Amino acid sequence: MGHSYSKIIHEKIADYTYELLPLPTEAEARTFMERRAFAAINVTIPYKQFVIPYCDVVDPKAQAIGAVNTVVNKNGLLYGYNTDYPGFSYLCDAHGVKFKDRTVLILGTGGTHNTTWAVAHDRGAKQIYTVSRHPDPEKGELTYAQALTTGAQIIINTTPVGMYPNVGVSALDITSMPGLEAVIDVIYNPDKTGLILRAEELGVPVAVGGLEMLVGQAGDAVRK
């Protein structure tokens, strides 16, 4: 949690106190959700799917995506939302990322993968591949070696690889991937991960981290 900018951003744009609460184990997270002793929370990896059963009402968009990252306590009932979707959309719009008829690689299989998949799908991507360290062939998931041969134009990293303090590492070596139009990393600390720095070196037109996604997400969360 020490890498998070959320407290700074939320307290700049809203009139409430925002606290960071690490929950290292599922048992701690379970106890926290059962107590419901909060007005609202943002949920980060790896709990975006974990919290869904604790919500009394799940927004249809969050239900379809299969991930909740904002939970609001309204008179004792928990309402689950996905504000990552508008946040990621905001990031893509800010940098002119075009998904229509593109082949997209999404690195990782967690809740944020589901969100970015939904955005790419809704914006007309021709093909969306999921890349995993432990791919499930029945789901059509690819290995990282297979990902290199897909001819993808857009890569989205939703894994924590390269996040502070483990900076400088990259989940995928994109050196042998010509034709890349955009490389997006949802990690925002550091601002430029190893993946983004490599994309810049290779001259990829759009190479951007996740800070604007976090800002867009926070703005939508405040409105819930």
Side-chain angles (χ1 to χ4, degrees):
M1 297 294 288
H3 70 274
S4 179
Y5 296 162
S6 295
K7 178 178 175 64
I8 298 170
I9 292 171
H10 277 260
E11 291 185 351
K12 285 287 187 181
I13 65 177
D15 60 353
Y16 51 67
T17 300
Y18 190 100
E19 299 295 341
L20 301 177
L21 180 63
L23 296 171
T25 69
E26 283 197 6
E28 290 172 288
R30 190 176 300 110
T31 298
F32 177 79
M33 293 302 298
E34 289 171 351
R35 286 177 178 167
R36 304 187 173 206
F38 56 84
I41 56 172
N42 283 139
V43 183
T44 189
I45 54 174
Y47 293 126
K48 294 183 182 183
Q49 294 158 321
F50 173 88
V51 298
I52 293 176
Y54 294 94
C55 295
D56 300 290
V57 180
V58 178
D59 179 77
K61 192 70 174 179
Q63 190 76 61
I65 292 171
V68 163
N69 76 310
T70 299
V71 180
V72 180
N73 189 333
K74 301 179 181 180
N75 300 316
L77 295 179
L78 300 186
Y79 290 73
Y81 303 95
N82 186 302
T83 60
D84 280 341
Y85 185 100
F88 187 70
S89 298
Y90 173 80
L91 168 64
C92 293
D93 290 340
H95 294 274
V97 178
K98 305 298 183 185
F99 286 97
K100 186 170 176 56
D101 297 326
R102 281 13 180 228
T103 296
V104 181
L105 281 181
I106 303 178
L107 313 183
T109 59
T112 306
H113 158 276
N114 296 356
T115 300
T116 58
W117 189 98
V119 172
H121 174 268
D122 292 351
R123 294 184 175 213
K126 177 177 67 176
Q127 180 73 56
I128 308 172
Y129 292 107
T130 297
V131 187
S132 173
R133 290 177 300 169
H134 307 290
D136 183 343
E138 292 187 2
K139 294 181 179 179
E141 296 172 355
L142 305 181
T143 66
Y144 278 85
Q146 291 171 327
L148 300 175
T149 65
T150 56
Q153 289 88 40
I154 299 173
I155 295 175
I156 305 166
N157 178 46
T158 69
T159 78
V161 177
M163 182 185 294
Y164 178 86
N166 301 311
V167 301
V169 294
S170 177
L172 183 68
D173 183 359
I174 61 174
T175 305
S176 62
M177 300 183 71
L180 286 173
E181 298 174 6
V183 176
I184 305 167
D185 200 324
V186 301
I187 293 171
Y188 55 84
N189 186 7
D191 179 51
K192 294 183 179 182
T193 61
L195 179 64
I196 296 304
L197 290 171
R198 189 65 181 136
E200 288 182 342
E201 291 172 1
L202 295 170
V204 177
V206 176
V208 63
L211 184 58
E212 285 159 301
M213 177 180 173
L214 182 68
V215 173
Q217 176 269 333
D220 193 67
V222 167
R223 292 187 285 273
K224 295 303 182 189

